[in-house]
Amino acid sequence: MPDQLLFAMEVTLNGLMAGVLYALVALGFVLIFKASGIFNYAQGVMALFAAATLVGIMDGQVPFSHLINATLGTDLHHFGWHVPALLAILVTVLVMIVLAWLVQRLVMRHLVNQEPIILFMATIGLAYFLEGLSDLMWGSEIKTLDVGLPQGINETIDQITYDMFGYGFFIDNLDIVATIIAGVLVIALMAFNQYTREGRALRAVADDHQAALSVGISLNFVWVLVWSLAGFVALVAGVMWGAKSGVQFSLSLIALKALPVLMLGGFTSIPGAIVGGLIIGVGEKLFEFLLGPALGGATENWFAYVLALVFLVFRPQGLFGEKIIERV
């Protein structure tokens, strides 16, 4: 088998794994948009905040230590212990649930029935607030996130593909684990949305707020639930990307890569987020492999947005989104 074809197969496999992570990030947007019609610009910063909180808890760091030291002249930095990764993850999940409750209680509850642009601007403000809060609580330096996930080239896949094709596939162990975890979470969220009482309530609210209220569904409960789920998704995405590239400001920009995924799959479709993520992941890798050298490289930075632009022109509702027809 020609080396170019084998390399294309390796690139495709890596693209599929990247696509699953893109889909995971996009799911946070879809969950909130379906339930409340809000495009949550803060989803990427929530991933940054969750990852930074996890690192701070694991390291036993004193929250707001820089502010406390500057104000009181103390020298506090750490409590003197390290928290096991699993316990730290559970505590971080609780933090994200509390954050969801506060967002609903202090912000979104007061903006019910406002114009979509106002809600969108509120999430922009929330994004910058969370970014500043993260820096105040845990510091702005680049942090290393290690929760025990395996890293390095998978030697088993490398050996098997070499025996089969005479060419070893270089697949990172972290990418494999991240793909499995993201895939399980995506399936679990789909099952939750389809088969649980809370999932049915979420879909009812998405279809018609007033009708949901008339049958006794609490909008406040649904919105806290959906923001909590989005926070949990942000935590998982933050752990995966943070373990891969470190916990830093660029982590919040993963939300921008989710935008083309949403445009392809549709803002209200969970299956659309999955399919859109896979298309973007494979497409950008193959495009870079096939045409990147001829176009000067770095096509991964813009390919997804060009593809999304094409969809906006010819199918603005995406592959699985609902086409809204207004009659006047």
Side-chain angles (χ1 to χ4, degrees):
M1 192 175 291
D3 288 347
Q4 286 291 93
L5 180 57
L6 291 170
F7 188 49
M9 292 171 58
E10 179 185 348
V11 168
T12 301
L13 186 57
N14 277 287
L16 286 171
M17 291 189 291
V20 174
L21 290 178
Y22 291 158
L24 180 63
V25 177
L27 274 177
F29 288 96
V30 171
L31 287 170
I32 291 179
F33 191 84
K34 278 176 67 68
S36 59
I38 299 172
F39 178 78
N40 180 26
Y41 183 85
Q43 185 67 27
V45 183
M46 287 170 64
L48 171 64
F49 179 82
T53 300
L54 177 59
V55 173
I57 293 172
M58 288 179 62
D59 291 345
Q61 184 178 343
V62 178
F64 301 105
S65 58
H66 298 286
L67 183 61
I68 295 172
N69 293 337
T71 304
L72 303 179
T74 55
D75 191 28
L76 297 173
H77 293 286
H78 293 83
F79 289 110
W81 64 72
H82 290 270
V83 180
L86 182 59
L87 179 58
I89 290 173
L90 293 176
V91 174
T92 306
V93 169
L94 292 177
V95 170
M96 298 307 291
I97 292 174
V98 171
L99 175 65
W101 181 82
L102 289 174
V103 168
Q104 169 58 23
R105 186 79 177 176
L106 300 179
V107 182
M108 295 306 167
R109 190 180 67 161
H110 302 286
L111 298 177
V112 174
N113 295 325
Q114 294 291 336
E115 294 293 327
I117 186 61
I118 294 177
L119 297 171
F120 175 63
M121 293 301 294
T123 65
I124 293 179
L126 178 63
Y128 284 103
F129 171 78
L130 286 179
E131 186 181 323
L133 181 64
S134 176
D135 289 345
L136 280 176
M137 288 183 68
W138 311 112
S140 58
E141 68 278 1
I142 299 175
K143 304 171 183 64
T144 300
L145 178 57
D146 183 8
V147 293
L149 297 177
Q151 302 200 32
I153 300 300
N154 188 288
E155 296 182 359
T156 301
I157 294 178
D158 182 33
Q159 186 62 49
I160 291 174
T161 54
Y162 185 82
D163 292 341
M164 292 177 61
F165 308 118
Y167 177 90
F169 285 11
F170 288 89
I171 307 296
D172 195 288
N173 281 312
L174 180 60
D175 289 337
I176 296 174
V177 173
T179 300
I180 294 172
I181 292 174
V184 169
L185 181 57
V186 166
I187 294 171
L189 286 172
M190 290 184 63
F192 171 84
N193 189 61
Q194 291 292 328
Y195 303 114
T196 67
R197 180 179 179 182
E198 291 77 12
R200 289 192 293 270
L202 189 154
R203 285 186 283 130
V205 171
D207 289 337
D208 191 320
H209 290 182
Q210 296 301 322
L213 277 172
S214 69
V215 296
I217 296 175
S218 170
L219 292 186
N220 285 330
F221 169 76
V222 169
W223 286 336
V224 170
L225 173 64
V226 79
W227 277 86
S228 299
L229 287 174
F232 179 69
V233 170
L235 170 61
V236 176
V239 169
M240 298 302 124
W241 288 100
K244 195 178 181 71
S245 57
V247 179
Q248 53 187 313
F249 170 75
S250 62
L251 187 60
S252 64
L253 301 180
I254 61 174
L256 297 179
K257 188 53 74 75
L259 292 180
V261 175
L262 292 169
M263 294 173 189
L264 264 66
F267 280 81
T268 60
S269 173
I270 291 178
I274 300 169
V275 174
L278 295 177
I279 291 174
I280 293 294
V282 174
E284 67 179 13
K285 299 292 185 184
L286 284 178
F287 192 84
E288 174 70 26
F289 168 65
L290 296 172
L291 298 177
L295 298 175
T299 60
E300 289 186 42
N301 295 330
W302 53 262
F303 168 80
Y305 301 97
V306 173
L307 184 59
L309 180 61
V310 173
F311 266 77
L312 285 176
V313 172
F314 295 102
R315 190 176 174 82
Q317 73 271 25
L319 292 173
F320 295 87
E322 299 174 358
K323 188 173 184 178
I324 299 174
I325 300 175
E326 294 186 1
R327 293 182 173 88
V328 296

